[in-house]
């Protein structure tokens, strides 16, 4: 089976990024969100990212226009999934919402369609179980910012088939990304390592061991990370980070995954990082 048409659910940071890279690879893409203002925001983010690539001389303006032309924004779910061979959901990280979405997708999509989740760490098996095609459900986990990050984790749920894995792998490679295969486990592979590291940085900061600037400088200069852990928390989104850590803590049951109380407090205060204009650092918004 070959992917010809792609649908992305959710036009947020991840959804719009996934729609963009699929369109850049030549796929027609339907990008759906629940309200038109979210769709328009996602389309604007794609345009902004492409403008950036064009301004660096890495793409012709005509090609960028062709890419945006391949992305159709919509609020109509039925229209968005019509004829899609692959649906990637990038909606909110709440299992109950994901399950509703997968049930709807199962009813509306053609029987051969693969249903993928971009979840940062929730159970693919649990989402698959609400469908009548659990073997066609898989995790296709992109990294932020999607246009730049080369990795995609392919998460195999309990009954994901070899064919679903192979087709998804070929799709990811067509996007110019490198897939790694991961058997479902909380946080998958990368977030299981990355998020506790960021969490530790937040503990350090809240204990007054070092300033936010110095913690980040330490990891940039001392561990060769491209940006520090606190700036990375702001990039990922503090709410998303908290979801991943809560999931790891709850499922694995070990204290080492306990989210830093400061992280929870900041999320409650609406300090979500770049997307809200403030997190560990301030952003012009
Ligand atoms: N679209 C297109 N181009 C972009 C872009 C975007 N959204 N964002 C940045 N760029 C381009 C810039 O134009 C710039 O181009 P040139 O090199 O040609 O000048 C280049 O990327 C570098 O950007 P900046 O100079 O603005 O910033 P930077 O040097 O800090 O690089 C970065 C940006 C590549 C994102 C770098 O900071 C980085 O690698 N950060 C770590 C990212 C990371 O670890 N992501 C994973 C998060 S975890 C996750 O996503 C999983 C989860 O489930 C939570």
């Amino acid at each position: 089976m070959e992917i010809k048409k792609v649908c992305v659910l959710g036009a947020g940071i991840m959804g719009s990024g996934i729609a963009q890279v699929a369109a850049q690879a030549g796929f027609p893409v339907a990008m759906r969100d629940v309200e038109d203002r979210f769709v328009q925001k996602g389309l604007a983010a794609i345009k902004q990212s492409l403008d950036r690539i064009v301004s660096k001389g890495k793409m012709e303006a005509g090609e960028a226009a062709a890419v945006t032309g391949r992305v159709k924004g919509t609020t109509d779910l039925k229209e968005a999934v019509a004829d899609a061979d692959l649906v990637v959901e990038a909606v909110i990280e709440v299992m109950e919402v994901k399950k509703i979405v997968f049930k709807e997708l199962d009813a509306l999509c053609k029987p051969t369609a693969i249903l993928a989740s971009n979840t940062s760490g929730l159970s693919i098996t649990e989402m698959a179980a609400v469908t009548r095609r659990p073997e066609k459900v898989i995790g296709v986990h992109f990294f932020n910012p999607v246009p730049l990050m080369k990795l995609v984790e392919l998460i195999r749920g309990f009954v994901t088939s070899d064919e679903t894995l192979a087709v998804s792998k070929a799709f990811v490679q067509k996007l110019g990304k490198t897939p790694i295969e991961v058997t479902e486990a909380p946080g998958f592979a990368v977030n299981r390592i990355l998020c506790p590291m960021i969490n530790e940085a937040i503990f350090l900061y809240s204990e007054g061991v070092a300033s936010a600037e110095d913690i980040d400088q330490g990891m940039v200069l001392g561990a060769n990370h491209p940006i520090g852990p606190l700036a990375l928390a702001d990039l990922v989104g503090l709410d998303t980070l908290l979801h991943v850590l809560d999931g790891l803590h709850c499922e694995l049951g070990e204290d080492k995954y306990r989210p830093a109380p400061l992280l929870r407090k900041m999320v409650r205060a609406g300090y979500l990082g770049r997307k809200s204009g403030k997190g560990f650092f301030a952003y012009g918004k």
Side-chain angles (χ1 to χ4, degrees):
M1 183 206 168
E2 201 194 338
I3 306 292
K4 294 207 178 91
K5 195 185 156 202
V6 177
C7 168
V8 179
L9 297 188
I13 301 172
M14 297 306 287
S16 63
I18 297 165
Q20 178 183 334
V21 293
Q24 279 179 229
F27 292 99
V29 184
M31 181 176 72
R32 190 259 180 178
D33 212 316
V34 286
E35 284 184 38
D36 191 53
R37 63 193 170 109
F38 299 139
V39 174
Q40 296 309 323
K41 207 171 164 197
L43 292 172
I46 293 174
K47 184 157 184 323
Q48 198 183 10
S49 172
L50 290 169
D51 284 349
R52 213 164 159 176
I53 297 169
V54 170
S55 75
K56 304 278 175 186
K58 291 181 182 160
M59 190 188 281
E60 296 288 329
E63 172 59 12
V67 172
T68 42
R70 282 194 282 275
V71 182
K72 187 175 183 329
T74 180
T75 53
D76 186 332
L77 181 61
K78 215 167 172 181
E79 181 194 316
V81 301
D83 301 328
D85 303 296
L86 171 71
V87 181
V88 184
E89 74 75 18
V91 307
I92 185 173
E93 285 285 271
V94 176
M95 180 53 85
E96 289 319 306
V97 176
K98 303 268 194 204
K99 283 192 192 166
I100 292 168
V101 168
F102 271 84
K103 231 182 166 138
E104 278 177 338
L105 287 178
D106 191 37
L108 293 173
C109 292
K110 60 184 181 187
T112 52
I114 291 177
L115 310 182
S117 174
N118 178 58
T119 177
S120 303
L122 296 175
S123 168
I124 301 302
T125 304
E126 194 172 344
M127 294 174 215
V130 301
T131 74
R132 290 159 301 170
R133 60 177 99 186
E135 71 289 348
K136 290 190 177 300
V137 177
I138 186 166
V140 178
H141 181 214
F142 290 80
F143 291 77
N144 185 9
V146 180
L148 299 184
M149 300 298 286
K150 292 276 175 234
L151 181 73
V152 175
E153 284 181 307
L154 292 176
I155 321 300
R156 215 181 167 135
F158 193 58
V159 289
T160 305
S161 70
D162 289 343
E163 199 207 349
T164 300
L165 186 70
V167 173
S168 306
K169 191 171 179 177
F171 169 73
V172 164
Q173 285 167 336
K174 268 196 190 159
L175 303 189
K177 307 280 186 202
T178 303
I180 59 167
E181 292 178 24
V182 183
T183 303
E184 180 179 316
F188 312 141
V190 174
N191 281 340
R192 170 97 169 256
I193 302 168
L194 188 66
C195 294
M197 186 274 292
I198 300 174
N199 195 37
E200 202 58 42
I202 302 172
F203 270 112
L204 268 188
Y205 174 63
S206 64
E207 289 163 12
V209 175
S211 67
E213 288 78 8
D214 281 358
I215 289 169
D216 273 17
Q217 185 87 293
M219 292 306 283
V220 170
L221 299 182
N224 255 0
H225 288 194
I227 57 175
L230 300 176
L232 187 53
D234 285 351
L235 177 74
V236 165
L238 271 56
D239 50 345
T240 302
L241 180 64
L242 183 59
H243 278 308
V244 175
L245 286 164
D246 271 335
L248 285 172
H249 191 216
C250 168
E251 296 245 348
L252 297 169
E254 292 187 49
D255 283 351
K256 66 179 177 180
Y257 300 115
R258 179 174 73 96
L262 177 64
L263 173 63
R264 201 177 296 285
K265 201 182 278 178
M266 288 174 76
V267 170
R268 285 178 177 153
Y271 280 57
L272 305 182
R274 283 190 191 206
K275 63 184 162 192
S276 70
K278 54 198 177 188
F280 291 99
F281 301 99
Y283 303 87
K285 262 210 168 173

